[in-house]
Each structure stands twice: as structure tokens, then as C-alpha cells.
Amino acid sequence: MEATVAITKAETLKPKPDPETLQFGKTFTDHMFTMQYSSEKGWFYPEIKPYAPVEIDPAAMVFHYSQSVFEGLKAYKNEDGEVILFRPEENFKRLNRSNKRLSIPPVNEELALDYLRQLLELEKDWIPTAEGTSLYIRPFIIATEPSLQVAPAHRYQFFIIMSPVGSYYPEGIHPVSIMVEDHFTRAARGGTGTAKTGGNYSAGYNAQAKASQEGHAQVLWLDGVEKKYVEEVGSMNVFFKIDGEVVTPQLNDSILQGVTRKSVIELLEHWSVPVTERKITMQEIFDAHREGKLEEAFGSGTAAVISPIGELTWKGETMIVNGRETGDTTRDLYQTLTRIQTGKQDDPFNWVMKI
Amino acid sequence: MEATVAITKAETLKPKPDPETLQFGKTFTDHMFTMQYSSEKGWFYPEIKPYAPVEIDPAAMVFHYSQSVFEGLKAYKNEDGEVILFRPEENFKRLNRSNKRLSIPPVNEELALDYLRQLLELEKDWIPTAEGTSLYIRPFIIATEPSLQVAPAHRYQFFIIMSPVGSYYPEGIHPVSIMVEDHFTRAARGGTGTAKTGGNYSAGYNAQAKASQEGHAQVLWLDGVEKKYVEEVGSMNVFFKIDGEVVTPQLNDSILQGVTRKSVIELLEHWSVPVTERKITMQEIFDAHREGKLEEAFGSGTAAVISPIGELTWKGETMIVNGRETGDTTRDLYQTLTRIQTGKQDDPFNWVMKI
Ligand SMILES: Cc1ncc(COP(=O)(O)O)c(C=O)c1O
Ligand SMILES: Cc1ncc(COP(=O)(O)O)c(C=O)c1O
């Protein structure tokens, strides 16, 4: 399906940045996709046009009541120079799940993917090819209606913007230090944790600042109700290898359903490594560590793919995981996933989509 | 103190709307106040200029991670035509408390109040004077830095926009029907509930839609942890009169500290009506009702001032409060507060500020 899009090309193109010095999410490509929504017309006027500031009313509801959702995925070039995406249909499905939670009208997932395809077609020279680099894609929707009423908007704008990103691990994959957060809550039962909506992210800045001050890279979030169960790490899902078995918190209504998480579980099953989704208490991790059974720990997400955890600090005690070395399962997952994502390795699951 | 502000006046002024047909937060005055922030310069370039759309980068962090805070207060004209505000310093104090929770730099509260004063000076003809009408004032701050990093921004914009609003009770004050929400959570312990930040509001749309469908005006929010304790009603604080005593949920880190709530408590104390801030379970309200002791219930907030509750539905059971009539204490509070706010009555507390 080729969706109809009004295309206006930029008159001059920006210089492509040096992939060595790229910071995440600071440089944007020449063009962006946008589309409007009104209650009367539904989604309308899909267009690709030069990346530029947008004019928005100061009363736009997104500024006041944060009615917004977003997605994040990456495009790579394979060795034949073809543009490939990793499970993009999962991102558009999740976008619609987020929309539902935030009372935002759904988008047509196939059309949205075709809009992205057309944008990538135009911007393919922006996809960096150095090891670990990629083009980060950020679809998002904001409520644009000018109104201070605390109620869902009648007007929205959908955007896709893209940013070339450097390697997450310029010095090679290395385990990080994590602080378990006992006070602040990212998301609670009945809240918006399963949605990719802005409010979940700025709510975590205070905890992240506290962790950074104490020398940790990220926060481990416990459940918002009992502050007892492990939920996520920073903006990643989390896995532990305990006594030969990989465990990850089972999905509930405060954990984001990561595409990488799902892929990790499917890969482990494919490899016949035991993997279980269940409730996991922090105490259990602590006990496993004390008994010498906590073999590996890692986060999973689009940005880092797999991020090994070298130490975990909880209530003043620090657990060193696998002598602060990346464990074998963690490394296998990282290598296999990144090789599949970049088209360097067979893709037995049909995860990769060529554009 | 007269703060320095660059003022650009609108060339033509908009017609003032008919106060009879005004919808809340849909019409804005001729001018707005804005000010910028950067990490290097702090807050700079305060200006008053024509109300108009702003140019914002699509990567502005507010769109992605909802780093934003807001306030809401009202200006009235008294019988001498003077412009008056109700406890505005409380709003700017709360703005800074919200800023702290959202990792947004604080504003100078006295300067901010003076900026508002100057804006009101210019816009005073926009303050409607019919019974129950006012000029609603919306200060807010958004993160404008273009960056997809999940971290506090280095650039912000502060705005004050104003909207003439009609009477909340065009047909006179009347009790509404409330549904107790058992599933969705507005705010949980360790979350952002004490801050006026957008994410708390769009998170409640689903519950409000469910309540509306079932014929209720608003949602009563229970605590996010045990779903047992009463917290707020819609975007209002909540009070109950039980057996001659007025009770309201004690402040915690998920309840917004309403200026109206504080004033209600101070007024009741002044009147020697027993008033207590404490934890209140929904079960207790239910039991009090069954025993015939639930005499009155009402919400408090800037928009409605006081909103009597006529019935409460919880787990399929409906409690009728005071035969769906506005109770005496509720009515006294409404009348006294609105009369003080509009300068029609003595202000023994020094709440009203003349501009
Ligand atoms: C809160 C949160 N958890 C987990 C993830 C991981 O999801 P995915 O693997 O789809 O990137 C993300 C997004 O990256 C996230 O924002
Ligand atoms: C969630 C919430 N609770 C309570 C209130 C009442 O606060 P105030 O009396 O300051 O208007 C508000 C704001 O109006 C609010 O947004």
C-alpha cells in the first residue's frame, strides 16, 4: 500500500553530522512527517515537509494537561545498503495502546508505517552505518486544541521526527551501577505506566538526579503500591539470571511492554534457555545474590538494546553482579539482537522489515 | 516593586465576548506574558505581547516527556471597579513547589506576581462583572529545549494567559453526582500528585469518561496504594460534614494543596465549626451515611469555588447526601468565599490583594 502524502522537499540540506560526536536526540534530519486530527474529519492532511518549528497556540492542551504519546524505534542500513526496521508494527500497535489510555484517537497502523517508509525513503542518507550507530525514529502525538478544559482534546497533531544517533557503547558494552528507588514512583497500578506518555518520564527526573548524585547510572523502579516488586530500570525493562533461569517481571498495568523485552524472551525460548515472567521481589534478588545465585542482570530497550547491570544498591547495601563483568547470556543477547537488527545475521523470526 | 517588562501592545483589540455564552477556557485576552529560561542566563526577557501562537521545535521536551507545570487563579472587579486577586502569592508558592517536583528551575515569586499585575493592568477591561463571572489566569511553564534525552531541559518558557469565564453555576449552585473510582489512579505515593503538572490530568480522562457514561459529573479519587482512602474529587479537594464535624483528607504526597481547601479550613476555624484534616476511608463515609450522620459533602477549587455533592456511587451503591440539597455549611462557605473574592464582603484574613 502506498499512502498519499503531500511532499515538500527542503531547498537546502543540512550537513550530516560526524557519527563519532553524535549526542542522542539532539540532531534532526531535513524532513519530518506530520498529520492533523479533528473530531469532524478524523486524521487528515498527511505531509512530509522540511523539519522546522511548528506554530502552536499557548492554550494547546498538551502544554496544560500533557495529553501526548510517543514511540521510539531505529532504522539501520544492512550490508547491501537496504534500510531495515526492527519489528516496527509492534511500535505502532503500542502507540495505539498508549492512545487508548490517554483518550487520544487511534491511528491506522498500516498507514502510519507507510508514512514512515516514505519519510525514510527521503532521508535514507541520514542513516549512519558505523558500528552501533542508527537513525532513531520518534513518532509522537500531541493535543493541539486551544482549551483549558480538563477533558480530551478535539484536535491533535501526529509527527514523525528522526535523529541520527551514535553508539550507546562507544567504548564497548559495559555494566552499569543501578540504585533501587524506594521513595519516588514512576507509575502505579491504575496509572499510565503501560503507556508511552510524557508524564511517566518527567515524573522520574527527581529519582534519576538522586541516583546520579550518588554515582549510579540509572534507577531501578519498584512497584508503586508495595514498593516491593521489581518493575523496570530507567527507561528499560529488566531481566535477572538466577541459578540458570532468566526471570523478568510479568506484565501488569504499570510496566511498559518493551519490544526488546518481548524479543529477548522469544530469543531465550528459541535457545531453550529457561525464561519466566513472574512477580519478582527485590528481597528475592538480594537473597539470590547472598546465596551466590544471582548470575547476571540487564536492562532491555531500543536505545541501548541490552544494558548489563554491574551493581545494584538497595537500602545502603551494594550487590556486585558477576564481578561487574558482562555475563554470557547478556552478551549473547546483545550480539544476536544487534546483528539481527543490522541485518548481519539470519533472522529466523521475521523481525526485520526491509523498507 | 515594578519589574521591568518589554511591552508590545496589540494593534487591534478583539471584541469582548458575551459573558452569558462564555465557555471555560476557550476565549483568551489580547495579550499574554512570556519569559525565557536558559541554564546560562536564568530567567530572562520578560515581555507582554499580543496573544498569539508560539513557534516551538517539534523536539521540544514538553511534547515528549511532559516537563511542565501550571497554576490557576481568578481576577475579579470589586464594586469600585478595582481589580482584585484571591491569595495569589499562594499560587506562585505552589508553582515553585510544582517546579521542584518536576526539576524545573524556580521563578521569583514577587516578580512573577508583578508581571501578572502589569498584564492585568493592560487587560482589565476583560474582567467580566456579571454574577459568578471572572477572569481566569493561567500561569504555566514548559520545557522548550529540542532534545529527546530523558532528562531535565536546559531551556524553558513561562507564560501567563488569561481567559474570561462565565458562571460555574448559571442556574444557581446545585449538588452533583459523583462516582468513586476503584480502578484508575490519578496519583500515587511517590508520584506527582502534589504538583500541578499536566500528566496528572490526562491520566484521569479514562475514569472521567467512565463516570460521565454512567451519568455522574465527576470522579472521586481514592489513594493509589490501597484504594481505600478518599483523596480528591475531579480537580477539587473534598470535604464531608459528619455528625457536626467537617473532615477533609490530610495532605500527603498525592493530594494537591488547594488554595480553596486552605481557605475553607481557615474560615471554618474562624466560625468555630469543628474541622479536622485526617485520613478518611471510603468505608467510613459509607457507614456514616448508613447511620444517617453524613450531613454534607462538597468539593473545593478555584473553578467552582465550592461544589456540593448530592450523591456518591461506590461499588454499585448510591448514597444520597442531604436529600440532594445544598447543605447549610456548604452554602455558607460558598457565599462567604465568593463574596470575599469579589470584594463584596469584609476580608478579615487579608486574602484579597488589590492590583
Ligand atoms: C519506560 C520504558 N520501559 C521500557 C522501554 C523499553 O521498550 P522497547 O524495548 O520497546 O524500547 C522503554 C522504551 O524504550 C520505556 O520508555
Ligand atoms: C487536582 C486538583 N485538586 C485540587 C484543586 C483545587 O485547588 P485550588 O483550590 O487551589 O484551586 C485543583 C486546582 O484547581 C486541582 O487541579
Side-chain angles (χ1 to χ4, degrees), chain A residues 94 186 196 201 232 234-237 256-261 300-302:
Chain A
R94 185 169 63 190
R186 187 193 86 90
K196 264 183 104 77
Y201 296 81
E232 303 200 39
S235 297
M236 294 185 286
N237 296 110
L256 192 87
Q257 301 188 23
V259 179
T260 320
R261 174 187 183 280
S300 75
T302 295

Side-chain angles (χ1 to χ4, degrees), chain A residues 51 54 57 65 185 189-190 202, chain B residues 51 56-57 65 185 189-190 202:
Chain A
Y51 184 96
V54 283
D57 197 288
Y65 308 126
T185 300
R189 186 177 58 201
S202 48
Chain B
Y51 184 97
I56 302 207
D57 198 287
Y65 309 124
T185 300
R189 187 177 58 201
S202 48

Side-chain angles (χ1 to χ4, degrees), chain B residues 286-303:
Chain B
F286 189 83
D287 293 344
H289 179 262
R290 208 190 36 216
E291 294 160 18
K293 292 181 179 162
L294 179 61
E295 295 157 359
E296 303 186 33
F298 59 92
S300 75
T302 295

Side-chain angles (χ1 to χ4, degrees), chain A residues 219-235:
Chain A
V219 160
L220 184 145
W221 297 107
L222 298 175
D223 77 285
V225 172
E226 299 180 63
K227 289 282 176 208
K228 192 168 141 187
Y229 299 99
V230 173
E231 297 223 317
E232 303 200 39
V233 165
S235 297

Side-chain angles (χ1 to χ4, degrees), chain A residues 7-119:
Chain A
I7 300 183
T8 311
K9 288 195 187 170
E11 298 200 349
T12 54
L13 300 184
K14 304 180 226 178
K16 308 284 181 294
D18 175 1
E20 296 284 305
T21 60
L22 275 177
Q23 278 189 285
F24 179 81
K26 298 272 187 189
T27 310
F28 298 91
T29 67
D30 294 303
H31 300 88
M32 62 184 184
F33 170 84
T34 90
M35 175 166 75
Q36 312 285 334
Y37 178 92
S38 76
S39 309
E40 305 81 39
K41 296 199 222 177
W43 289 106
F44 68 97
Y45 203 46
E47 59 171 338
I48 288 174
K49 59 183 178 184
Y51 184 96
V54 283
E55 284 222 327
I56 301 207
D57 197 288
M61 293 169 108
V62 63
F63 294 145
H64 302 271
Y65 308 126
S66 299
Q67 200 190 3
S68 66
V69 295
F70 70 93
E71 268 304 324
L73 67 163
K74 286 173 170 179
Y76 299 88
K77 265 185 194 155
N78 68 14
E79 280 160 358
D80 299 328
E82 294 166 312
V83 178
I84 58 180
L85 293 172
F86 184 71
R87 313 187 83 173
E89 65 290 350
E90 293 286 339
N91 293 89
F92 289 108
K93 258 194 238 165
R94 185 169 63 190
L95 185 70
N96 272 340
R97 288 201 303 270
S98 300
N99 279 337
K100 184 154 185 235
R101 180 62 184 86
L102 273 292
S103 305
I104 295 175
V107 297
N108 179 312
E109 295 164 23
E110 287 86 53
L111 280 178
L113 188 50
D114 194 68
Y115 299 142
L116 170 58
R117 191 190 58 68
Q118 294 192 47
L119 182 61

Side-chain angles (χ1 to χ4, degrees), chain A residues 246 261-277 333 349 351:
Chain A
V246 178
R261 174 187 183 280
K262 184 170 178 176
S263 308
V264 164
I265 294 169
E266 290 171 26
L267 254 183
L268 291 171
E269 284 170 348
H270 182 73
W271 291 341
S272 303
V273 175
V275 53
T276 312
E277 301 173 65
L333 284 164
F349 309 96
W351 282 340

